[in-house]
Structure formats: C-alpha cells, structure tokens
Amino acid sequence: MVSIVRKAAFWAAVSTSVLLAPQAVLAETIFGAMAKAYENNPDLNAARAGLRATDEGVPIAKSGFRPQVSAFANGTLSNVQNDVIGSRNFHQGQIGVTVTQMIFDGFQTLNNVRAAESNVFANREGLRANEIQILLAAATSYANIARDQQIVSIRRQNIAFLKEQLNASQARLDVGEGTRTDVSLAEASLANAQSLLISAIAQLKQSEAVYVQIVGVAPTGIKQPAPASKGLPRSLDQAVALGLRQHPTILAAQYNVDTAGFQVKSAEGTMLPGVTIQGQVGRTTGNSGDGVVSDTSSVTARLTVPIYQGGAEYGQIRRAKETLGQQRILVDSQRAAVQQNVVTAHAQLEAAIARIGANKTQISAANMALAGVIEERKVGQRTTLDVLDSQQTVLNAQEQLAIAQRDAVVASYGLLAATAILSVKSQGLQVAEYRAEEHYEAVKDKWFGLRTVDGR
C-alpha cells in the first residue's frame, strides 16, 4: 500500500509540474495537436491512399475508348511421307499485329467513365469527412488530457489538505480536545483521497495514450484550451443550415446517387448494338505452298446486336435500379444524421457553458463555507466530519468545473465538425493542406506507365 501511495504521489507531482511549469518551449496548443494529427495520423493517411487508388478507376474506365493493340506469332512444323517425295518436313510461320477499336458500345464506356468520376468525387468528400473526424478527435484528446491533469492537481491538493486535517485532529486528541473518532475520520478520508488520486493518474495515462495514437507524438505542455471560436455559427438555425448544405457525408451520398444513376445507364447499354473495327497486318513465311513470303493486311468492321443473353442483362438492370433507389434513401438518412449531430453539439455546448458559470459560483460559495466551518470547529461549534464534508463539496465542485471546461471545448469543436466548418483552413493550422485533386489531375488521362505519381 505504501509503495502504491508513493507512486501516486510521484505521478501527481509529475503531472502537476507539467501543468504548472513554464511552457514557452515545449507547450503544445490545441491547434498544434490538430495540425500534427492532420499530418501524422495513420488512418487519415490510409484514407488518402485509398482515394488515390479510387482515382485510378477513371483511367481504367476510359480505357474502353482507347484502341487495344496485340501482337501474335505462331509456327507450324509438319512432316509429310509418301511414295513420291518420301519423307519431307514443311514449316510455316506467321507474325502480325492486331488493333481493335471500339466505335460504339451502347454508351457503356461513357457512363462507366462518368460513374468512376462520381465515385472519385464521393470518396473525396468521404476523405474530407475523415479529416474532420481526425481533427475533432485530436481536439478531444487534447481537452481530455487538460481535464485529467487538472483533476490530478486538484486531488493532490486535496491530499495535502486532508493531511493537515489529520495532523490537526491528532494534535487535538493529544491535548484532550478531540476524539479518536475525529482522527479515524481524517485517516479514512485521506486513504480515500489517495485511492482517487491513483485513479486520476491512471485516467491521465489512458488519455495520453489516446493522444499519441491520434496525434502521433507524445503530449507536451498541455494547458487548458478555450472553446472554439473561429467560424462558430451564431445560432442553431444557421448551424443546421450550414450542416445540411456543406457536410461531406451528405455531399458524398449525393455523388453516390450520381454514380448509381450512371451504372443504371451502363447496364441498359448492354442491350444496345455495338460496333468495333479491327485492323490486322501480318507476314507469313515458310517452305510450304509456293514457299514465298507473303504480307497480309485487313480491316474488319463488326456490328453486334444483342437479342437475348440468358436474362442476365435484365437482372443487372433491375439490380442497378434498386441500388439507385437505395442511394437516394441514404441521402435522406445522412441529412437526418447531420441535423441530429448539429442539434446535439449545440445543446451540449450551451449546457457546458452554463455549467461552467454554475460551477464557478459553487466553488466560490463552497470555499467560503469551508473556511467558516473550519473557524467554527476551532470554537467547538463544528466537528471534523463537518470539515471533511465541506472539503468534499469543494473538491467535487472543482472537478465538475474541470469536466465542464473540457465538455465546452469538445462540444464547440463538435459543432464545427457537425457543420463541416472544422478544417485546416478555417482554424488556421500550420500544416500543408492535402489537395486530393492534384493526384486525380495527374492520372485521369494517363495512357500507360507502371509508376505511381510519387515514383513508386
């Protein structure tokens, strides 16, 4: 038990020194934490890589417009035996190049390209939603550490106060003015406070671990942040309107509707005629026939009219239409979710701000009451239990204030996230903004090449 208490005191001292020491060099702001998360978070970087892979769907779809070129070579060796010539070997070889160009395929390629482009735009909005959530997670983890550091400091100060009360109770017992019960009450309160300190330190360590996971670096010099103010909507109605107009999950769902619509048209295109042109040049050599080298060239136009393909084409069209209906419903679902998130974040922010004011008033009154109870105990009008109860009221109010301050910060950034305002640009983060369109523009019209844009 003694070793655990010593460890608790050590970690409390470390945490409090981090909270109170000068932080000119190592201090990290909430904006710095968000910037580091934007740059370092592995989940966000994986989402960016996923979007780059999605970009390649456009040149893949466009390949249907382009010619297909293939080379061929074949050779034949024959042995002929008869009474006239006896046994003789004949050989023949052929080489050539074939070029096939699609002229018309029922607009399938055109609609596949449009579907691929809409899919890119949907995934781009999905990436933006991912960025918003990572920025919010970084702000939340920062605020959690600030809260936990304050609680550790408060509980450490509480232990110091309870030790003074234990010494005072023991001194009164020694001179015959107190009772053994007072000493036992003080000892019990001190032991409980030490247990609470150990729990607070454990919670702080957990919050720091989450911070490292999200931000990518260990927290240094965390201090109590202020609620977000940059770009915060002035009213609930404005916040809801902003969220419904610009939230990336809604925009992504709308792009998914476009994608599904183009896929319906592409499926319907399988029932339309198709036209292709094929050109071929070749050379034949060997000792069979007249034994001379011959060059050939040909151009073939082919019209294909689908009549019945086993019913698969009809099933594919119906399935594409059902998918389109599903995507339209999901747009309404996303709108409802965004509105609910905006209203919830706005309500949480208002409640947290109100709680901060109430907690500050409570702390002031509780401290005055504690001072009065201590004075009254000196003249015998109060007991040690009254003092301990008053101190617990002060402690609870201080911890509730720390929690309310954290909730106000998280709710304010949550409101920015719910309205899609939270971004590198809106918060002025000192980090290079990732521009997804640069990779898309680099690859959308590529005809060949194995290397990625970054040289891999």
Side-chain angles (χ1 to χ4, degrees):
M1 177 65 185
V2 174
S3 63
I4 295 177
V5 172
R6 286 177 178 173
K7 288 181 179 179
F10 169 76
W11 282 108
V14 171
S15 299
T16 305
S17 65
V18 170
L19 181 66
L20 300 179
Q23 300 170 356
V25 178
L26 299 178
E28 180 68 275
T29 66
I30 193 169
F31 301 108
M34 288 192 290
K36 287 184 173 66
Y38 184 85
E39 188 174 26
N40 300 330
N41 187 270
D43 294 331
L44 189 52
N45 286 327
R48 290 166 180 160
L51 177 57
R52 291 194 295 271
T54 302
D55 290 344
E56 297 291 351
V58 174
I60 291 173
K62 286 183 177 180
S63 66
F65 287 131
R66 298 165 184 163
Q68 298 181 13
V69 182
S70 61
F72 64 89
N74 59 68
T76 303
L77 177 63
S78 304
N79 179 264
V80 178
Q81 296 184 9
N82 57 42
D83 296 336
V84 178
I85 64 175
S87 177
R88 186 175 178 183
N89 291 326
F90 295 91
H91 60 86
Q92 185 177 39
Q94 188 178 32
I95 58 173
V97 175
T98 302
V99 179
T100 304
Q101 175 64 58
M102 182 275 298
I103 302 301
F104 181 74
D105 64 350
F107 304 108
Q108 292 181 66
T109 297
L110 176 63
N111 288 304
N112 287 340
V113 171
R114 290 173 175 173
E117 290 172 341
S118 293
N119 191 40
V120 168
F121 299 148
N123 278 268
R124 195 178 293 177
E125 293 299 332
L127 175 62
R128 192 159 70 92
N130 234 322
E131 292 174 347
I132 290 173
Q133 290 306 311
I134 292 299
L135 293 177
L136 176 59
T140 300
S141 64
Y142 187 99
N144 287 345
I145 292 178
R147 173 203 61 196
D148 295 341
Q149 286 180 343
Q150 288 188 60
I151 291 177
V152 167
S153 178
I154 291 167
R155 292 185 180 180
R156 180 175 181 273
Q157 294 170 8
N158 182 50
I159 288 178
F161 175 86
L162 293 177
K163 285 181 178 180
E164 292 178 359
Q165 298 307 309
L166 176 59
N167 293 335
S169 297
Q170 186 65 51
R172 286 194 301 274
L173 178 63
D174 293 341
V175 298
E177 295 181 359
T179 66
R180 183 63 193 171
T181 300
D182 291 338
V183 175
S184 297
L185 286 171
E187 289 176 339
S189 295
L190 178 59
N192 181 62
Q194 291 168 335
S195 174
L196 291 175
L197 176 60
I198 293 171
S199 298
I201 293 169
Q203 179 59 52
L204 175 58
K205 290 180 180 178
Q206 293 176 43
S207 296
E208 290 173 340
V210 173
Y211 182 95
V212 172
Q213 177 191 12
I214 296 171
V215 178
V217 297
T220 56
I222 302 295
K223 54 186 178 181
Q224 178 60 47
S229 58
K230 298 179 181 179
L232 205 64
R234 293 188 298 272
S235 66
L236 176 58
D237 290 340
Q238 183 189 31
V240 171
L242 285 171
L244 294 178
R245 184 172 68 248
Q246 66 186 23
H247 200 279
T249 58
I250 296 176
L251 298 179
Q254 292 173 338
Y255 279 122
N256 285 333
V257 171
D258 295 338
T259 301
F262 291 127
Q263 288 172 342
V264 170
K265 294 179 180 179
S266 177
E268 291 173 342
T270 61
M271 302 185 66
L272 297 177
V275 178
T276 59
I277 292 180
Q278 185 178 82
Q280 181 174 297
V281 294
R283 168 169 288 188
T284 302
T285 61
N287 62 357
S288 61
D290 54 13
V292 300
V293 175
S294 61
D295 294 325
T296 60
S297 61
S298 64
V299 176
T300 305
R302 174 173 294 179
L303 170 66
T304 303
V305 180
I307 297 176
Y308 184 71
Q309 303 171 57
E313 67 275 28
Y314 301 108
Q316 291 168 352
I317 293 171
R318 293 193 302 270
R319 181 175 62 184
K321 289 181 177 179
E322 292 292 353
T323 301
L324 175 59
Q326 177 193 28
Q327 295 302 326
R328 286 172 175 163
I329 296 171
L330 288 176
V331 173
D332 295 333
S333 175
Q334 290 300 330
R335 287 195 180 109
V338 167
Q339 182 169 355
Q340 185 265 333
N341 290 336
V342 170
V343 173
T344 299
H346 191 272
Q348 290 174 340
L349 178 58
E350 287 186 330
I353 292 174
R355 283 163 48 209
I356 289 174
N359 291 144
K360 288 181 177 179
T361 301
Q362 182 184 10
I363 290 172
S364 178
N367 278 321
M368 292 180 62
L370 175 60
V373 170
I374 292 175
E375 292 300 320
E376 291 173 358
R377 184 187 62 180
K378 291 180 180 178
V379 297
Q381 295 180 348
R382 294 280 187 164
T383 65
T384 298
L385 180 60
D386 294 329
V387 174
L388 296 177
D389 288 342
S390 295
Q391 168 62 9
Q392 187 62 44
T393 301
V394 173
L395 176 67
N396 291 340
Q398 290 174 332
E399 292 190 4
Q400 288 302 313
L401 175 60
I403 294 172
Q405 289 173 330
R406 175 265 178 199
D407 291 347
V409 173
V410 173
S412 64
Y413 283 99
L415 182 57
L416 290 178
T419 54
I421 297 174
L422 185 60
S423 66
V424 169
K425 185 176 180 180
S426 72
Q427 300 305 301
L429 304 184
Q430 300 300 309
V431 63
E433 188 173 2
Y434 182 79
R435 299 189 178 279
E437 61 274 11
E438 292 181 357
H439 179 268
Y440 174 74
E441 292 297 329
V443 302
K444 68 176 184 177
D445 291 317
K446 292 193 73 170
W447 282 54
F448 54 85
L450 299 177
R451 292 188 178 275
T452 60
V453 173
D454 59 3
R456 289 178 287 114

